[in-house]
């Protein structure tokens, strides 16, 4: 699961992880988590998610980080919007306005200075995109770069690993606590069984899949 794996997935349009509407857990839980504050939100491995527009439209400055330039271009084109593209290293920046940017490049190149103003992270599809061997690095990098008291809204998916091979991968609630509890307070807000008629569950033949929603705060 190196960079070429993800570039190939986007080139072949094998993006079953992309949701065609705003995630309902984001819609339900975000207002209670953040209240009236409109601080900057980091969205790791964001793809071309509609969730970024939802956050932006509610007044949040949004910074999405995505490896694929195809995803970054599609994000704006499919919304009928334009972006100013600034090539650079380690990130090529796609800027819609002063409050919405996609940085195209390796997430692990983000530095504390890049996210100094971030107060929330929204992760629906980053942790579950990674196989077990890569998750600790992801959690450790978030811990290393995020400011103190930064919050995370994390959504995970758990299923019988014999039923399919990710991505998205199954991540248990226990693993979430193991990955993050050294540096974050971790609270599970809810756990729901994925509906049998859910398009993803039907397509993948997942019988007992569950989704969990977590709130994390960096100590």
């Amino acid at each position: 699961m190196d960079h070429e794996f993800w570039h190939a997935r986007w080139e072949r349009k094998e993006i079953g992880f992309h949701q065609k509407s705003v995630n309902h857990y984001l819609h339900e839980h975000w207002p209670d988590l953040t209240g009236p504050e409109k601080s900057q939100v980091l969205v790791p491995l964001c793809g071309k998610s509609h969730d970024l527009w939802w956050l932006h439209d509610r007044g949040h400055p949004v910074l999405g980080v995505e490896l694929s330039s195809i995803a970054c271009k599609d994000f704006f084109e499919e919304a009928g919007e334009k972006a100013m593209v600034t090539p650079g290293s380690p990130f090529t920046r796609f800027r819609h306005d002063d409050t919405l940017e996609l940085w195209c490049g390796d997430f692990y190149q983000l530095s504390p200075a890049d996210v100094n103003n971030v107060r929330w992270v929204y992760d629906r599809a980053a942790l579950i995109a990674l196989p077990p061997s890569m998750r600790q690095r992801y959690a450790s990098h978030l811990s290393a770069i995020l400011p103190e008291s930064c919050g995370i809204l994390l959504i995970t998916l758990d299923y019988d690993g014999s039923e399919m091979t990710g991505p998205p991968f199954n991540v248990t609630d226990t693993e979430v606590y193991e990955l993050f509890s050294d540096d974050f307070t971790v609270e599970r807000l809810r756990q729901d069984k994925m509906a049998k008629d859910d398009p993803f569950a039907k397509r993948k033949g997942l019988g007992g899949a569950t989704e969990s929603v977590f709130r994390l705060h960096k100590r």
Side-chain angles (χ1 to χ4, degrees), residues 6 10 43-48 64-69 71-72 91 102-106:
W6 290 109
W10 279 98
V43 185
L45 284 62
C46 63
K48 57 178 182 178
V65 181
E66 169 56 43
L67 182 65
S68 170
S69 61
C72 293
F91 297 102
L102 265 61
W103 289 12
C104 184
D106 185 348

Side-chain angles (χ1 to χ4, degrees), residues 42 44-45 65 91 106-112 114-115 134-147 179-180 183-184 218:
L42 170 67
L45 284 62
V65 181
F91 297 102
D106 185 348
F107 167 74
Y108 295 105
Q109 294 297 314
L110 275 181
S111 71
D114 294 327
V115 296
M134 300 179 71
R135 292 175 197 154
Q136 185 59 65
R137 184 187 179 198
Y138 171 76
S140 297
H141 189 61
L142 280 178
S143 177
I145 64 174
L146 292 177
L179 288 170
F180 291 100
D183 300 306
F184 295 83
K218 187 180 178 186

Side-chain angles (χ1 to χ4, degrees), residues 185-198:
T185 59
V186 181
E187 176 188 5
R188 192 182 74 184
L189 301 177
R190 67 189 293 173
Q191 183 183 67
D192 297 329
K193 264 195 171 181
M194 185 176 282
K196 292 182 179 180
D197 60 352
D198 181 278

